[in-house]
Amino acid sequence: MKSVVIIGGGVGGLFTANKLASKLSAEIRRGEVSVTVVEPQDRQVYQPGFLYVPFKELTPDVMFKPVSKLVSPLVKVEREPAAKIDLSAKKIVLQSGKELKYDYLIVATGAVVKTGSYPGFGEAWHTLWTYEGAKRLREALRRFNGGTIVVSVTSTPYKCPVAPYEFLGLLNDYLMATGLRAKTKVIFTTVAPHLHAQPQVNKFLEEIMRMWGFDYKTKFQVNAIEPGKISGPEEIKADLIMAVPPHGGSEVVTKSGIGDQAGWVPVDRHTLQIQAQGATGAEYAIGDATNLPVPKAGSVAHFQSEIVSSRIAEEIQLGYSDTEYDGRVICFILTGFEEATVVSWNYENPAKYPPPPSRFFNRLKDMTNYSIWSVMRCGL
């Protein structure tokens, strides 16, 4: 029997598992293939929904879903954490000591949000990058009566690179609706040398920031966040601080020695095969877990899940695979509560200047929010 083990039951892991269950359903039913997901959590949370929490939270059936309702019945689920990945022995060691041998491995362990990087989380500063953080930010916004708001990207890479700008668009509408816009100064800082790595998207963001009347500073390395101020190349006094904290790879990746200094898994940019000592070519990593120069976003994990599931299915059924990932990225960008735009690119074709924000693209983003679990469960 060929054994496929997937570490991580987030977007990338569950999409991959359900796609494999669909592509290899006959082989699984005949007992020739098994697909196992290692995921200790009982339910998954829709992380893109964190963006809405400070303003108007999505419904619970969108924000949360039991893993049991997201995974195909043809897929097994191990309900304890992976403690070690042993590439040379082709096995996973679980926290209890139980070992899972694999013929194919997919590492979909995501990114870890390091809220402990700066003291005062939830009091001196807030974030959208955890659910609890987003709820505390909602409370802080309700108490805000005017002054200076600082939104800061403290480190790259991080999950969903356009999310800070989407937050700024929603914040602009919120301040207008509450009558606070005239009494509020908004400053955005980023450690990066630009607002976005894609030149045409960067141009769009610069223009829309000017249209909103928000100040922005690039190459702003945050040294400290304290009550009422954020310090870097200069000190900025603030009445409310929303920060994107540093991100890193998962603990199991770091402890297993298969990640780089930040814990991201090095992979081939086209095949997504892990490039680490002991790797045999049967090991893959996808989504936020990788070191690829593409956004850490759910859509990217979705596209990569199709590549990896196709490669494994083709190897099992045909003996070879030439399916490759072309670096495909699609991102919706909310510019307010009612309008959005969209950008796309790949390795060979940079993003074009985004189309004008409209309700049409906002509805498409809504469709994604409300259909993602069904699409995942069907393995589409």
Side-chain angles (χ1 to χ4, degrees):
M1 175 187 286
K2 296 288 186 182
S3 174
V4 183
V5 176
I6 302 165
I7 306 178
V11 170
L14 291 180
F15 263 119
T16 305
N18 291 336
K19 286 175 183 289
L20 283 167
S22 176
K23 296 174 187 293
L24 297 170
S25 60
E27 289 83 353
I28 294 172
R29 294 179 191 280
R30 290 197 299 263
E32 299 168 0
V33 174
S34 69
V35 178
T36 302
V37 173
V38 178
E39 176 51 64
Q41 301 297 322
D42 291 328
R43 68 175 185 172
Q44 283 299 331
V45 59
Y46 183 53
Q47 294 184 44
F50 296 171
L51 174 66
Y52 301 90
V53 172
F55 308 102
K56 184 180 179 181
E57 189 165 352
L58 300 178
T59 58
D61 63 317
V62 175
M63 288 296 295
F64 307 100
K65 192 70 70 172
V67 171
S68 60
K69 294 189 178 297
L70 294 174
V71 68
S72 165
L74 297 178
V75 174
K76 303 174 184 177
V77 181
E78 286 284 352
R79 296 287 190 181
E80 60 174 304
K84 184 180 179 182
I85 301 169
D86 190 333
L87 299 180
S88 36
K90 299 186 76 170
K91 68 179 182 181
I92 307 302
V93 181
L94 303 182
Q95 195 173 62
S96 65
K98 180 180 178 179
E99 296 183 355
L100 300 178
K101 287 282 190 176
Y102 68 80
D103 294 287
Y104 296 96
L105 172 69
I106 301 101
V107 177
T109 47
V112 176
V113 180
K114 300 182 178 181
T115 54
S117 298
Y118 299 97
F121 169 56
E123 297 177 359
W125 64 279
H126 304 273
T127 194
L128 284 174
W129 272 257
T130 70
Y131 181 57
E132 290 302 320
K135 289 196 296 182
R136 288 183 179 181
L137 177 57
R138 179 174 62 205
E139 296 167 2
L141 272 176
R142 297 300 181 269
R143 295 191 300 267
F144 180 76
N145 291 313
T148 299
I149 297 177
V150 173
V151 176
S152 181
V153 174
T154 67
S155 178
T156 60
Y158 59 92
K159 291 190 279 189
C160 196
V162 300
Y165 309 106
E166 294 185 292
F167 173 74
L168 288 170
L170 296 177
L171 177 64
N172 185 58
D173 278 5
Y174 172 80
L175 293 173
M176 294 287 285
T178 55
L180 293 171
R181 182 65 190 92
K183 298 190 293 183
T184 303
K185 181 177 183 179
V186 178
I187 303 172
F188 174 75
T189 78
T190 177
V191 68
H194 39 56
L195 299 184
H196 199 281
Q198 290 288 317
Q200 289 299 312
V201 181
N202 184 72
K203 181 180 178 182
F204 168 79
L205 292 173
E206 288 180 341
E207 291 174 354
I208 203 164
M209 292 280 274
R210 286 194 291 267
M211 183 185 75
W212 290 332
F214 294 169
D215 294 339
Y216 64 88
K217 303 174 186 293
T218 58
K219 300 181 182 178
F220 192 98
Q221 178 65 59
V222 174
N223 298 323
I225 303 177
E226 302 171 80
K229 65 181 180 179
I230 184 166
S231 303
E234 61 182 284
E235 183 179 287
I236 305 174
K237 294 189 181 302
D239 299 283
L240 178 61
I241 299 172
M242 197 289 284
V244 182
H247 287 46
S250 69
E251 184 178 6
V252 67
V253 166
T254 303
K255 287 188 173 181
S256 300
I258 65 171
D260 60 18
Q261 189 173 6
W264 309 123
V265 182
V267 298
D268 182 278
R269 70 200 303 258
H270 293 296
T271 67
L272 305 176
Q273 291 167 302
I274 292 176
Q275 307 291 291
Q277 185 174 2
T280 67
E283 298 87 5
Y284 296 86
I286 64 172
D288 295 356
T290 77
N291 71 339
L292 290 178
V294 295
K296 295 187 182 300
S299 64
V300 174
H302 186 186
F303 297 144
Q304 292 175 353
S305 72
E306 178 60 31
I307 302 303
V308 169
S309 61
S310 292
R311 288 186 64 85
I312 293 173
E314 289 163 358
E315 288 184 14
I316 290 174
Q317 295 171 334
L318 306 176
Y320 72 95
S321 175
D322 53 10
T323 298
E324 294 190 338
Y325 175 58
D326 66 357
R328 185 185 181 194
V329 175
I330 293 179
C331 290
F332 286 104
I333 306 175
L334 280 175
T335 56
F337 289 118
E338 295 296 329
E339 293 187 333
T341 186
V342 65
V343 292
S344 64
W345 68 91
N346 58 32
Y347 290 145
E348 302 299 325
N349 301 290
K352 296 179 180 179
Y353 191 86
S358 68
R359 293 190 176 212
F360 172 72
F361 290 119
N362 188 56
R363 296 300 177 264
L364 288 181
K365 185 175 176 77
D366 282 344
M367 288 174 60
T368 301
N369 291 335
Y370 286 92
S371 67
I372 184 66
W373 297 131
S374 297
V375 173
M376 181 186 294
R377 175 60 183 80
C378 294
L380 298 177

